[in-house]
Amino acid sequence: MYSANHWGGSLEINGGDSTTEDDKSRNMDWDRASVSHQRYQHNLDETQQSWLLGPPEKKKKKYVDLGCVVCSRTALKWTFWGFVVAFVVIALPVIIAKTVPKHKHRPSPPDNYTAALHKALLFFNAQKSGKLPKNNGISWRGNSGLQDGSDATDVKGGLVGGYYDAGDNTKFHFPMSFAMTMLSWSVIEYEHKFRAIGEYDHMKDLIKWGTDYLLLTFNSSATKIDKIYSQVGGSQNGSKTPDDHYCWQRPEDMDYARKTQTANSGPDLAGEMAAALASASIVFRDNTAYSKKLVKGAETLFKFARDFGKRTSYCRGNPFIEPFYNSSGYFDEYMWGAAWLYYATGNNTYFSLATNPGLSKNSKAFYMIPDLSVLSWDNKLPAAMLLLTRIRMFLSPGYPYEDMLKSYHNVTGLTMCSYLQTFNVFNWTRGGLIQLNHGQGQPLQYVANAAFLTSLYVDYMNATGVPGMTCGPRFITLSDLRKFAVSQINYILGANPMSMSYVVGHGSKYPKHVHHRGASIPKNNVKYSCTGGWRWRDAKNPNPNIITGAMVGGPDKFDKFKDVRTNYSYTEPTLAGNAGLVAALVSLTSSGGHGIDKNTIFSAVPPMYPVSPPPPPPWKP
């Protein structure tokens, strides 16, 4: 029995031939509907299709199992290529830079002034007295003067140390103090240059060697003193008694008595010593205890200098000093010492003294005497006025100091004008050397000092934006002024008619017969007697020891130089002369940059608030 077909029609499947016409017609209708439906679907948009067909099937992400971490294969691919790019961009250039041999550029050689400066400082090592440090660096020098000051019974340990003055073995405290002041001043203004050339610590050692000794020459622990030891050793002109001039011996071999000289008055000596200690206190500002010790000593010395009952020159009537380092006055030391004490302490009392009209009157500061514009161990006037002009240029203190400072400033400008050849104030050699000491012997120490003052003044003006100065009706540029300093130092270093460098060891041609006991006698384990050393003094051979950096006395007024050991006028170096040379060289060198240290010198100076001048007197009809 067959179940009924509810849709109609037979359930049997028949062959194609048995299909009726009605069946064919019905099948054709269904086929048309199917085709029509497919065409309709093609006309639908994507959204409409999704309604009908549902959301499309998403593509499955592929993952990579790294063991402890499962991550996307795409992320892993991008990470890999990121590392590749980083390696190419960053790591590869670094590896190449490290592996490729580098071409090392040689540092530029130091300029001529720096090379000479290194040598000029060595002269001070050669002049040291006392027990020398192991790093002194002068192979032919040894301990000497260990009994100095043994006749000064109130000085514990004697007066050991300090510097020999020149080619002899005398310790003159007056020019020694001036040399220490000049060295300190150059460090204060040009510390950056000394640091750049690696000489800053050396400079401080040289200054301290001098100031340590100067502190021994008076009672530096007291606030009031009644004497200063002014010299150790020395000689009398014409004497045949064994002494520092009659004998020709190495300092290490001295076997004659070395008398200590005492000054019971001495405004000049005490004023210069005060300047030396005060200026050095600024150099050693980072060593508070030592700086304070120097300031205290400077103030004690200046009280002694200003004592009204002790105003006789330190050398008056002393045959061991007066013929050699005679002082022509002491008011310049008052101005010089007071200026340095003001910088060192900020005490307005010293500034008031330095700008006191009576001081300038007694020192003849405004008389415009050519000789008073020449800086030396005896005359500090041009340096003192420049030092005080510095205050006006950088601090402008105003009333009540302005009038005096302006006068100092004007005279300083005129001093600079006097150095220029075009104004014919001083004679000049044909070779281009200014004759600041009227053609007398040993001219170079004065020339070096003038070059330093000029170069420093140019730096002051540069630092304050001043383009030049007027000399009468003419305007002088800073370049013109600097050319003077350059020309004079170049002359000293070899640009002269003799083609001779007057600094020993600098250049290819320099003096070989220097008037110097230690340099002229060989260190051969033989102790030559007082007169036994004369054979070396009179020998025609060059010195066996080169006293590197010593600036000799210099040529005569005709640019001629005789390299003869017995003629000290030509061939003897001095402590004060070399100090001026060091100052001039460091001011001109380009090592470490140009310009000065504007502020260090004012470290102890309080802020200045100018006082209003008093009102004019009331008008009376």
Side-chain angles (χ1 to χ4, degrees):
M1 186 169 82
Y2 298 98
S3 55
N5 184 354
H6 300 290
W7 295 100
S10 173
L11 294 176
E12 292 179 356
I13 301 174
N14 299 315
D17 294 337
S18 60
T19 306
T20 64
E21 286 295 325
D22 291 337
D23 290 337
K24 288 181 180 179
S25 177
R26 192 181 297 113
N27 288 340
M28 286 179 65
D29 290 338
W30 279 108
D31 289 342
R32 289 192 191 101
S34 175
V35 171
S36 176
H37 178 71
Q38 288 175 1
R39 286 175 181 169
Y40 174 72
Q41 276 189 319
H42 280 294
N43 292 331
L44 294 178
D45 60 24
E46 212 172 75
T47 304
Q48 293 168 328
Q49 287 185 42
S50 68
W51 293 339
L52 297 173
L53 303 176
E57 190 175 305
K58 290 185 179 179
K59 200 172 184 179
K60 291 184 178 180
K61 289 185 178 180
K62 296 181 180 180
Y63 292 91
V64 177
D65 188 351
L66 298 177
C68 57
V69 177
V70 176
C71 65
S72 167
R73 178 177 291 183
T74 304
L76 184 64
K77 182 177 69 175
W78 281 108
T79 302
F80 170 76
W81 284 111
F83 276 116
V84 171
V85 172
F87 176 79
V88 172
V89 173
I90 301 173
L92 193 60
V94 172
I95 294 171
I96 295 172
K98 294 286 185 182
T99 54
V100 174
K102 293 181 180 179
H103 177 67
K104 293 184 178 179
H105 294 281
R106 294 181 180 179
S108 57
D111 60 35
N112 197 36
Y113 304 126
T114 300
L117 179 56
H118 286 303
K119 294 180 172 68
L121 291 175
L122 290 176
F123 172 73
F124 292 90
N125 294 64
Q127 294 300 101
K128 284 182 178 178
S129 178
K131 188 174 182 179
L132 302 183
K134 292 181 180 179
N135 64 345
N136 193 51
I138 309 297
S139 61
W140 46 273
R141 282 301 323 279
N143 298 336
S144 63
L146 300 182
Q147 300 304 313
D148 283 356
S150 57
D151 55 341
T153 56
D154 60 335
V155 181
K156 186 178 180 180
L159 296 171
V160 178
Y163 291 96
Y164 299 117
D165 177 65
D168 54 24
N169 300 330
T170 309
K171 295 192 294 194
F172 291 100
H173 299 169
F174 190 45
M176 187 193 302
S177 299
F178 173 71
M180 295 304 105
T181 310
M182 291 292 285
L183 291 183
S184 293
W185 194 6
S186 68
V187 171
I188 293 166
E189 301 283 13
Y190 299 106
E191 178 180 326
H192 54 292
K193 293 190 177 187
F194 283 113
R195 286 186 182 277
I197 65 173
E199 291 286 8
Y200 178 66
D201 291 334
H202 185 198
M203 278 292 290
K204 290 180 71 176
D205 288 342
L206 295 178
I207 293 168
K208 193 171 187 295
W209 191 267
T211 53
D212 280 351
Y213 176 75
L214 293 177
L215 288 168
L216 298 176
T217 64
F218 67 102
N219 186 359
S220 59
S221 62
T223 56
K224 187 175 182 179
I225 57 175
D226 58 3
K227 66 179 179 182
I228 300 173
Y229 292 115
S230 56
Q231 181 174 310
V232 175
S235 61
Q236 289 182 273
N237 279 336
S239 172
K240 293 186 178 180
T241 303
D243 59 25
D244 284 313
H245 279 183
Y246 183 73
C247 297
W248 195 269
Q249 287 180 288
R250 297 171 69 242
E252 294 79 1
D253 298 335
M254 296 182 297
D255 54 7
Y256 48 84
R258 286 167 56 80
K259 185 179 178 181
T260 301
Q261 304 296 321
T262 305
N264 297 113
S265 68
D268 32 26
L269 173 63
E272 182 55 66
M273 289 176 66
L277 299 187
S279 57
S281 75
I282 303 173
V283 174
F284 292 97
R285 64 195 179 280
D286 55 343
N287 184 343
T288 305
Y290 189 62
S291 183
K292 287 182 177 178
K293 185 177 183 179
L294 292 172
V295 168
K296 181 182 178 183
E299 293 189 305
T300 299
L301 286 165
F302 206 67
K303 286 180 185 176
F304 179 82
R306 293 285 293 161
D307 189 331
F308 192 76
K310 298 180 181 295
R311 295 196 180 181
T312 303
S313 175
Y314 88 105
C315 61
R316 182 74 58 82
N318 190 322
F320 289 89
I321 306 176
E322 200 168 25
F324 307 102
Y325 285 103
N326 178 45
S327 174
S328 58
Y330 55 82
F331 285 98
D332 57 325
E333 277 86 16
Y334 279 170
M335 188 185 296
W336 180 236
W340 277 117
L341 274 163
Y342 177 64
Y343 280 120
T345 66
N347 186 334
N348 206 55
T349 303
Y350 297 117
F351 192 28
S352 296
L353 174 62
T355 54
N356 187 300
L359 208 58
S360 58
K361 179 181 178 181
N362 284 297
S363 63
K364 300 180 175 63
F366 305 147
Y367 283 36
M368 293 314 303
I369 300 172
D371 285 352
L372 294 183
S373 66
V374 180
L375 173 61
S376 72
W377 52 264
D378 179 33
N379 175 43
K380 288 87 181 189
L381 200 56
M385 286 192 285
L386 177 58
L387 198 61
L388 292 165
T389 295
R390 194 190 206 281
I391 297 176
R392 180 176 191 247
M393 294 179 74
F394 291 96
L395 298 185
S396 301
Y399 181 85
Y401 309 108
E402 172 61 18
D403 286 347
M404 287 303 300
L405 292 180
K406 183 178 180 181
S407 297
Y408 289 152
H409 197 164
N410 289 340
V411 173
T412 295
L414 292 172
T415 294
M416 301 302 160
C417 296
S418 73
Y419 294 156
L420 303 180
Q421 190 170 8
T422 186
F423 297 108
N424 298 313
V425 177
F426 294 97
N427 291 330
W428 288 62
T429 68
R430 289 187 177 182
L433 185 70
I434 189 172
Q435 296 290 285
L436 296 171
N437 65 334
H438 308 291
Q440 298 176 17
Q442 299 184 320
L444 296 186
Q445 58 180 302
Y446 308 100
V447 172
N449 288 341
F452 169 61
L453 292 185
T454 308
S455 182
L456 182 60
Y457 188 50
V458 169
D459 282 338
Y460 286 175
M461 288 192 284
N462 262 325
T464 51
V466 178
M469 62 181 194
T470 56
C471 293
R474 294 188 56 179
F475 181 77
I476 304 298
T477 67
L478 299 187
S479 177
D480 293 333
L481 206 53
R482 181 88 75 181
K483 283 177 184 176
F484 164 77
V486 168
S487 69
Q488 297 308 289
I489 295 302
N490 285 353
Y491 185 105
I492 293 172
L493 298 182
N496 55 65
M498 297 287 292
S499 297
M500 169 78 76
S501 167
Y502 293 114
V503 177
V504 176
H506 182 76
S508 58
K509 182 182 179 183
Y510 52 83
K512 305 290 175 57
H513 303 79
V514 181
H515 181 95
H516 192 276
R517 285 159 176 76
S520 64
I521 301 175
K523 184 182 179 181
N524 56 6
N525 296 320
V526 176
K527 181 178 179 179
Y528 296 95
S529 66
C530 172
T531 56
W534 289 0
R535 58 172 289 198
W536 300 107
R537 178 194 66 189
D538 301 331
K540 304 299 181 184
N541 296 330
N543 287 353
N545 306 311
I546 298 177
I547 184 163
T548 302
M551 182 180 72
V552 297
D556 60 22
K557 59 185 177 181
F558 303 107
D559 297 304
K560 301 297 183 183
F561 179 79
K562 296 179 181 178
D563 192 6
V564 179
R565 190 178 297 110
T566 52
N567 194 328
Y568 64 87
S569 171
Y570 289 107
T571 59
E572 186 174 23
T574 65
L575 204 66
N578 254 70
L581 174 66
V582 166
L585 287 171
V586 75
S587 74
L588 292 176
T589 180
S590 59
S591 300
H594 297 282
I596 56 164
D597 179 341
K598 293 192 291 186
N599 300 318
T600 294
I601 199 170
F602 297 121
S603 298
V605 176
M608 287 187 167
Y609 303 103
V611 180
S612 299
W619 180 80
K620 293 182 180 180

